[in-house]
């Protein structure tokens, strides 16, 4: 396995994304209004690895597991002499972060440290148990930057590895990181019958929690039934982060969590615009420098009226720019590859007032008016939103207020249930 200073800043963005990715990864300069925040990793390093000293550790991470100086936690642990790192485990996109959506990198050995890197993407809880046992790890450490949406798969990698660790009697440590899109929850609940790798348990679409808070929630709400007991969990919390803060409000380094998440702007819109992954005739902007911000279909089928109608709605915190682009990657939509597409660029102008999922619903409602609009044949939208309700309401002509109003009760219930597990004010 080619040495890459354990992954720092090497996630492949694709040919069009490389320049933007380089700019996005630049260190944040000290600026007025930027809050100094320590991640769980920074806190751990500052304690001289006290929570892990003398233990055999398996690390679940990717390129985002870096400290304030962009040093990866595996390099830091291995070089400290205080922690025995026996294995690393790669999630979706791989430990190096080079694979596209739905892909991984395989198993290999790191040249500098000799540490085995196991391919854990898509691993079942039983497979996780096998990998943990094979690695001889006593403690699993999770450090991955999440982006706050239920269908971003890293939190389910964490969940399955927590279940496996609980069954084996292993310890589980989460090095917490801020939620880059803040601490508010939005959207519909996952329901039984629609669970999958993009939503395994009953949480809402934009959960508004850090991975540490989610780990506490999972440990109390789901593990006792699924694993037979809770896991021995420790969350090393961030310092100086508040729930109302976004990525742009802090100095936490941004390393792309996945190839199509180049900037915090991408993360901010993702909980809503990722729903277009389920629309066969519209690209969610993969293969552009602005994935999830550029949304459009073939220029023969969609036009500037889409943006005009969205702007006429006066949705809080957002404007829509008429946009034309040619995606160089199309995922499961090859008919859009290298074709001129017309649509909108989502421009968030007020993060505090912006509701990503309400905006995503409005975009779907207006896009549905075009004859060329077509859901994917597998009804992937049901997996993304947690039930068939949104799809059926949009198809029936329901407007945004009615669609969003349908989940008000379940969202309020989730907000109440999560309260006991939150770590930050």
């Amino acid at each position: 396995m080619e040495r890459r200073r354990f992954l720092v800043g090497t996630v492949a963005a694709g040919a069009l994304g490389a320049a933007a990715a380089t700019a996005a990864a630049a260190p944040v300069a000290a600026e007025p209004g930027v809050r100094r925040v320590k991640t769980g990793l920074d806190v751990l390093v500052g304690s001289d690895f006290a929570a892990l000293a003398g233990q055999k550790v398996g690390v679940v991470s990717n390129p985002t597991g870096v400290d304030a100086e962009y040093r990866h936690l595996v390099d830091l642990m291995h070089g400290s002499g205080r922690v025995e790192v026996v294995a690393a485990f790669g999630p979706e996109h791989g430990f190096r972060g080079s694979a596209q959506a739905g892909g991984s990198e395989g198993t290999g050995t790191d040249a500098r440290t000799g540490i085995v890197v196991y391919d854990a993407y898509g691993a079942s809880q039983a497979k996780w148990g096998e990998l943990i046992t094979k690695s001889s790890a006593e403690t699993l450490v999770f450090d991955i930057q999440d982006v706050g949406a239920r269908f971003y798969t890293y939190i389910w990698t964490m969940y399955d590895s927590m279940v496996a660790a609980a069954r084996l009697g292993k310890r589980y440590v989460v090095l917490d990181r801020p939620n880059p899109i803040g601490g508010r929850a939005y959207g519909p609940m996952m329901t039984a019958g629609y669970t999958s790798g993009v939503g395994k348990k009953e949480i809402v679409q934009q959960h508004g929690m850090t991975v540490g808070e989610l780990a506490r929630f999972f440990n109390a709400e789901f593990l006792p039934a699924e694993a037979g007991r809770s896991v021995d969990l420790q969350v090393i919390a961030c310092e100086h982060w508040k729930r109302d803060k976004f990525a742009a409000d802090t100095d936490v380094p941004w390393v792309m969590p996945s190839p199509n998440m180049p900037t915090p702007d991408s993360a901010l819109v993702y909980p809503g615009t990722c729903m277009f992954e389920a629309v066969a005739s519209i690209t969610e902007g993969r293969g552009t420098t602005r994935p999830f911000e550029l949304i459009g279909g073939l220029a023969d089928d969609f036009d500037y009226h889409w943006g005009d109608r969205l702007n006429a709605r006066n949705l809080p915190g957002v404007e829509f720019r008429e946009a034309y682009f040619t995606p160089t990657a199309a995922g499961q939509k090859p008919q859009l590859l290298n074709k001129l597409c017309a649509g909108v660029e989502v421009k968030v102008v007020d993060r505090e007032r912006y509701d990503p999922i309400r905006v995503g619903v409005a975009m779907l409602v207006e896009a549905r008016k075009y004859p060329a609009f077509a859901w994917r044949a597998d009804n992937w939208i049901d997996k993304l939103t947690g039930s068939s309700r949104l799809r059926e309401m949009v198809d029936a002509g329901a407007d945004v207020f009615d669609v969003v109003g349908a989940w008000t009760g379940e969202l309020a219930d989730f907000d109440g249930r999560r309260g006991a597990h939150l770590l930050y004010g």
Side-chain angles (χ1 to χ4, degrees):
M1 183 180 295
E2 184 180 348
R3 180 62 189 173
R4 66 285 169 194
R5 182 61 190 153
F6 249 92
L7 330 174
V8 180
T10 61
V11 183
L16 287 178
T22 301
V28 177
E31 297 177 2
V34 172
R35 188 177 184 86
R36 295 294 183 186
V37 172
K38 287 186 176 182
T39 65
L41 175 57
D42 294 325
V43 173
L44 178 68
V45 172
S47 73
D48 196 20
F49 302 95
L52 301 174
Q55 297 175 44
K56 293 182 177 180
V57 170
V59 177
V60 185
S61 191
N62 70 356
T64 65
V66 297
D67 71 354
E69 298 177 23
Y70 292 93
R71 300 175 299 179
H72 199 271
L73 80 159
V74 171
D75 285 334
L76 292 167
M77 288 179 183
H78 183 74
S80 72
R82 297 264 290 160
V83 183
E84 184 180 355
V85 183
V86 296
F89 304 92
E92 183 179 9
H93 308 293
F95 196 59
R96 296 185 303 275
S98 62
Q100 288 293 325
S104 59
E105 294 172 334
T107 295
T109 302
D110 177 66
R112 179 188 291 262
T113 63
I115 294 167
V116 177
V117 181
Y118 292 101
D119 180 3
Y121 175 52
S124 65
Q125 293 166 3
K127 181 63 175 179
W128 264 109
E130 293 174 8
L131 293 176
I132 294 167
T133 300
K134 186 176 182 179
S135 73
S136 76
E138 301 166 337
T139 298
L140 286 191
V141 176
F142 182 94
D143 187 7
I144 297 179
Q145 178 66 66
D146 183 44
V147 299
R150 182 180 60 221
F151 32 66
Y152 208 57
T153 61
Y154 299 144
I155 60 173
W156 304 117
T157 295
M158 181 175 73
Y159 179 76
D160 285 337
S161 58
M162 285 177 67
V163 171
R167 290 173 177 163
L168 293 170
K170 305 295 185 180
R171 184 164 170 254
Y172 204 98
V173 176
V174 176
L175 304 181
D176 211 6
R177 291 183 176 271
N179 186 325
I181 62 175
R184 290 176 293 185
Y186 296 107
M189 177 69 73
M190 174 57 64
T191 59
Y194 294 91
T195 57
S196 72
V198 292
K200 296 192 174 188
K201 289 294 178 179
E202 294 81 2
I203 63 173
V204 297
Q205 191 163 315
Q206 181 175 331
H207 50 72
M209 302 169 78
T210 67
V211 289
E213 292 173 331
L214 275 171
R216 286 161 54 92
F217 183 83
F218 290 163
N219 207 33
E221 294 275 331
F222 304 132
L223 259 71
E226 188 148 2
R229 57 180 167 179
S230 296
V231 74
D232 179 8
L233 175 67
Q234 180 181 358
V235 176
I236 299 181
C238 304
E239 293 182 357
H240 313 305
W241 186 70
K242 299 294 183 183
R243 310 199 69 74
D244 62 348
K245 299 303 179 185
F246 297 81
D249 300 320
T250 78
D251 63 342
V252 175
W254 180 264
V255 176
M256 291 188 300
S258 57
N260 284 289
M261 199 64 63
T263 72
D265 291 339
S266 313
L268 190 58
V269 300
Y270 177 76
T273 55
C274 185
M275 292 189 288
F276 281 92
E277 187 177 276
V279 180
S281 53
I282 296 176
T283 172
E284 63 276 20
R286 297 180 189 274
T288 75
T289 57
R290 287 290 181 177
F292 304 109
E293 297 173 75
L294 284 169
I295 310 293
L298 294 176
D300 289 340
D301 298 329
F302 295 87
D303 60 19
Y304 62 89
H305 293 297
W306 189 9
D308 289 348
R309 289 196 293 261
L310 286 167
N311 282 322
R313 287 178 173 272
N314 294 314
L315 295 164
V318 66
E319 300 288 346
F320 299 90
R321 182 185 71 82
E322 177 185 352
Y324 300 87
F325 57 95
T326 302
T328 59
Q332 297 190 38
K333 307 169 187 179
Q335 72 278 14
L336 302 178
L337 180 64
N338 294 320
K339 299 292 179 61
L340 179 63
C341 291
V344 298
E345 181 179 3
V346 183
K347 306 293 287 185
V348 178
V349 296
D350 187 339
R351 296 191 303 268
E352 297 292 337
R353 301 177 64 218
Y354 176 66
D355 177 341
I357 300 175
R358 178 183 291 273
V359 169
V361 170
M363 294 174 69
L364 286 169
V365 166
E366 292 297 346
R368 185 68 180 80
K369 296 174 181 178
Y370 286 90
F373 181 94
W375 301 110
R376 272 174 44 177
D378 59 0
N379 287 333
W380 185 242
I381 189 65
D382 299 356
K383 300 290 189 183
L384 294 179
T385 61
S387 74
S388 62
R389 180 179 57 197
L390 181 143
R391 173 176 54 83
E392 291 169 352
M393 292 185 74
V394 171
D395 282 349
D399 202 29
V400 179
F401 179 84
D402 298 312
V403 176
V404 173
W407 59 67
T408 302
E410 62 209 52
L411 176 58
D413 177 69
F414 175 77
D415 235 351
R417 286 168 50 214
R418 72 180 186 143
H421 311 291
L422 301 181
L423 294 167
Y424 310 97

